[in-house]
Amino acid sequence: MNKFDACSRWRECSKVMKCIHPGTKEYPPSEFTKACTTAQNYLRGINHFAKNKSYPVETNKTCSQHPNESLLTKHTSLQPEQQIKKLLIIDGNSILHKAFYGTSLLSAPDGRFINAVYGALRTIITAVMSRRPTHLLVAMDHPGAYFRHSIYPQYKANRKETPPELIPQLSLFREVMKRTGIRFIEKKGFEADDIIGTVANMAAKEGYHVEILTSDKDCIQLVTDKVTVLLHKKGRFEECTPHTTPLLTGFFHYNTIDLKALAGDVSDNIPGVSRIGTKTALILLKKYGTLDSIIAMAKEGKIPGKIGENIRNHVGSAIVSRRLATIETNVPLEISTESFKLPLGGPKHLNLTVKYLSTLGIKVLKIDVLFTTEETSITEDQQTYIGIDIATARVQIKIQGNNNVCGICQSKKDNCSEFLELNDDGRLFFGTQSFFACSDCRKLLHPKLYLEVPGKSPRQRNSNDVKESNDSIGYLF
């Protein structure tokens, strides 16, 4: 599926292609409008941003403001202390290289180049300001060879040499992180992607929502309902979730590894299968599902012509490429996710950090967002929310119900109110479940996990009011 601008072209696209959905081959054509509406809302940024002092708003200037965005704003303005824990993992080498080529060459007073370090710090601070994580980690490539070189010695053999102006900034960036208190991890024999995969996997199991900031599409294979990849592009973050990934990239997150196994990767010198490019690989994956199925079909002669012949002749290369493209999620690390917690320190630590950065000529960063500037205490209500057991706080929604039938107990009552189910961060999400609950069952709904649709009470609503309310909610999702 090709990337498209959902704001202006969804009607056009609906005539020429079908929509796709995680876990299935395709949406039926009748569901295309619904998926494109999801893309519209994604581009507005309403899934992760709110119009209030706590969260800056990221919007697409080509999109007009949605008339019901105030509904979302009201219920996504939780303070960081009230949220379920969120871990932001940053690909350090990725943002350093991007900053080096995207920032003019700058020098510290002592003559050292600092443009990559300055740009990388700016990216980290921007991400923390916009994503509001409760925990922060930077993953770094360890200097030297990786375990993949033992599998394929030519791995990354065609990479250009690191510019001499960037080489000293790699160690300087590590020093800056140590001085500021930003936690970073590197492991001999492993790349940053492997650190990211291992920590993301561990944190997700511990109940964190994980966001990975990188410009490398390899990390898309890590996407789950609890792990979001933020592709850093032209000063903004594109959110790759199980639903938005095909809208942004043209393929599902679970196709990432097999896609590289077939098409290869020039930047990492992954060979793939000879004479099979990305377009052909996507067609094969769409038709047969997985690399193993494609190889089996080719061996049985069910993939005709040169394509089938190339696959049969390069099975070994495809399997090696798949191993090279697979991110390791079990790197031996002795860490605790709580050690990544924000803020990094208090006013004294902040002042020391500012003085250190000033010696490098870096004075304009909003570095204070990483620290606390005053002594704060958590309220009893916030402490209660932090300790919520999400699993036990959820209720079983048996049916959607209506104004006269409860979706939880299924009893017929005339006082049912409409609710929307929120994610574990207490936020609306695309495709959220709507249902009705009676006055008794609504007492079971935790206010941080379920949102009551505002409006007239059920007794005052007439049929037109109900239809209008349902239509507006349907447009959001």
Side-chain angles (χ1 to χ4, degrees), residues 357-384:
L357 292 178
S358 66
T359 64
L360 300 176
I362 300 175
K363 300 179 181 179
V364 296
L365 291 174
K366 296 182 178 180
I367 195 72
D368 57 297
V369 302
L370 301 176
F371 299 85
T372 177
T373 56
E374 59 183 13
E375 295 296 329
T376 57
S377 59
I378 299 177
T379 65
E380 184 178 348
D381 180 64
Q382 292 169 345
Q383 185 64 49
T384 301

Side-chain angles (χ1 to χ4, degrees), residues 132-166:
R132 293 289 178 177
T134 58
H135 296 68
L136 174 67
L137 172 69
V138 176
M140 299 291 293
D141 291 336
H142 192 280
Y146 310 119
F147 76 90
R148 291 177 179 83
H149 286 101
S150 62
I151 300 172
Y152 186 67
Q154 292 78 35
Y155 179 65
K156 291 191 174 182
N158 59 349
R159 283 283 178 98
K160 295 181 180 179
E161 291 187 7
T162 305
E165 298 86 357
L166 176 58

Side-chain angles (χ1 to χ4, degrees), residues 106-376:
L106 304 173
S107 299
D110 59 5
R112 289 183 291 177
F113 292 111
I114 60 166
N115 61 312
V117 173
Y118 169 75
L121 277 176
R122 186 171 58 184
T123 299
I124 292 174
I125 291 169
T126 300
V128 170
M129 290 176 66
S130 62
R131 312 312 297 186
R132 293 289 178 177
T134 58
H135 296 68
L136 174 67
L137 172 69
V138 176
M140 299 291 293
D141 291 336
H142 192 280
Y146 310 119
F147 76 90
R148 291 177 179 83
H149 286 101
S150 62
I151 300 172
Y152 186 67
Q154 292 78 35
Y155 179 65
K156 291 191 174 182
N158 59 349
R159 283 283 178 98
K160 295 181 180 179
E161 291 187 7
T162 305
E165 298 86 357
L166 176 58
I167 293 175
Q169 295 192 63
L170 295 173
S171 58
L172 178 59
F173 183 55
R174 288 174 170 85
E175 180 186 342
V176 168
M177 288 191 289
K178 288 179 181 178
R179 291 291 194 98
T180 58
I182 297 173
R183 183 72 188 275
F184 71 95
I185 296 178
E186 54 187 353
K187 182 77 172 179
K188 186 176 180 180
F190 295 94
E191 298 177 70
D193 287 354
D194 302 315
I195 302 296
I196 291 171
T198 299
V199 176
N201 185 46
M202 178 178 66
K205 290 179 179 178
E206 293 177 4
Y208 287 78
H209 177 72
V210 181
E211 293 187 336
I212 301 168
L213 173 58
T214 182
S215 56
D216 188 353
K217 289 186 178 180
D218 290 352
C219 286
I220 290 177
Q221 64 186 269
L222 301 173
V223 166
T224 67
D225 58 340
K226 291 186 177 181
V227 179
T228 298
V229 171
L230 308 173
L231 288 181
H232 190 203
K233 290 187 176 182
K234 296 180 180 179
R236 65 190 181 93
F237 307 139
E238 291 188 344
E239 303 165 17
C240 292
T241 65
H243 191 95
T244 62
T245 296
L247 301 173
L248 292 169
T249 65
F251 57 88
F252 287 113
H253 57 286
Y254 48 74
N255 288 142
T256 306
I257 298 173
D258 289 350
L259 179 60
K260 277 203 171 188
L262 288 167
D265 187 342
V266 175
S267 64
D268 289 339
N269 200 33
I270 296 177
V273 176
S274 177
R275 297 184 181 180
I276 289 186
T278 301
K279 185 176 180 180
T280 303
L282 286 173
I283 292 173
L284 291 170
L285 288 170
K286 182 176 181 181
K287 186 172 183 179
Y288 300 108
T290 65
L291 176 64
D292 291 333
S293 297
I294 291 170
I295 292 174
M297 290 295 178
K299 288 181 176 180
E300 293 175 9
K302 295 182 180 180
I303 301 179
K306 284 289 184 182
I307 295 178
E309 182 181 342
N310 288 335
I311 295 172
R312 288 190 293 272
N313 293 338
H314 296 88
V315 171
S317 178
I319 293 175
V320 168
S321 297
R322 178 170 62 183
R323 181 68 185 98
L324 295 175
T326 302
I327 292 176
E328 178 60 58
T329 58
N330 291 296
V331 177
L333 298 174
E334 295 181 1
I335 56 171
S336 168
T337 49
E338 279 303 306
S339 64
F340 312 146
K341 194 171 184 179
L342 290 176
L344 302 177
K348 187 178 293 186
H349 190 179
L350 171 59
N351 290 334
L352 292 174
T353 300
V354 170
K355 288 180 180 179
Y356 169 69
L357 292 178
S358 66
T359 64
L360 300 176
I362 300 175
K363 300 179 181 179
V364 296
L365 291 174
K366 296 182 178 180
I367 195 72
D368 57 297
V369 302
L370 301 176
F371 299 85
T372 177
T373 56
E374 59 183 13
E375 295 296 329
T376 57

